Amino acid sequence: MKRLILSILLAGAFTASLLADTAPAFPGGMEAFFSFLNKNMQYPTRAADNGIEGKVVVQFDVDEHGTISNARILRPVDPDLEEEALRIVHAMPKWIPATDNAGHPIASNAVIPITFKLSE
C-alpha cells in the first residue's frame, strides 16, 4: 500500500514586500506549520492511484492583520495536487503579518513549495 509523504521545502520559501523588515510567519513557527500540514493535508486519491507526484508552488497574500487571500499556483503539476495545495492554504489560520522597519504590520506575500511524494 502506498503511503503519503508530504514535505515543504522552505529555504527561501517565504517572500515579503520590499518594505518588510520581517517576513510573514505561521503562528507557532515552523514546527507548528509542519504539524498543521501533517494533520490536515490529504493526498488526492486519483493522483495517488495514478502515481502522480510533484512540487506545487503556491503564492498567497498576507494582509496587515494576518489574513490569507489571493492564493494562486505559481508552478502547476496536476489539477488534483494543485486543488489540495490551495485547499490547505485556505484552511490555514491567520499568519503573523510582515512588519516594516518601524515594527508596524504590513501586507506582504508568501511563497510555499509543497512537495507531494508517494512511497511504497
Side-chain angles (χ1 to χ4, degrees):
M1 170 150 203
K2 293 181 180 177
R3 73 181 167 91
L4 164 67
I5 298 175
L6 295 170
S7 65
I8 301 295
L9 305 175
L10 293 171
F14 298 115
T15 61
S17 164
L18 293 176
L19 301 174
D21 186 42
T22 63
F26 190 86
M30 296 311 301
E31 187 173 322
F33 182 69
F34 287 122
S35 177
F36 175 84
L37 290 177
N38 286 331
K39 289 178 186 173
N40 293 285
M41 288 200 66
Q42 302 168 8
Y43 212 105
T45 303
R46 185 171 37 213
D49 290 347
N50 291 310
I52 298 171
E53 301 177 327
K55 184 185 338 180
V56 177
V57 179
V58 182
Q59 181 179 31
F60 54 93
D61 298 334
V62 179
D63 73 13
E64 62 275 6
H65 304 290
T67 301
I68 295 169
S69 64
N70 299 321
R72 54 219 171 264
I73 302 298
L74 294 182
R75 181 176 175 213
V77 173
D78 172 80
D80 292 330
L81 299 183
E82 295 155 25
E83 183 179 331
E84 176 59 11
L86 289 173
R87 184 193 70 77
I88 199 67
V89 166
H90 289 295
M92 287 191 284
K94 285 186 174 187
W95 279 41
I96 299 165
T99 58
D100 63 14
N101 291 331
H104 300 110
I106 60 170
S108 61
N109 62 53
V111 177
I112 304 173
I114 302 174
T115 301
F116 291 85
K117 182 160 179 58
L118 294 166
S119 159
E120 296 291 330

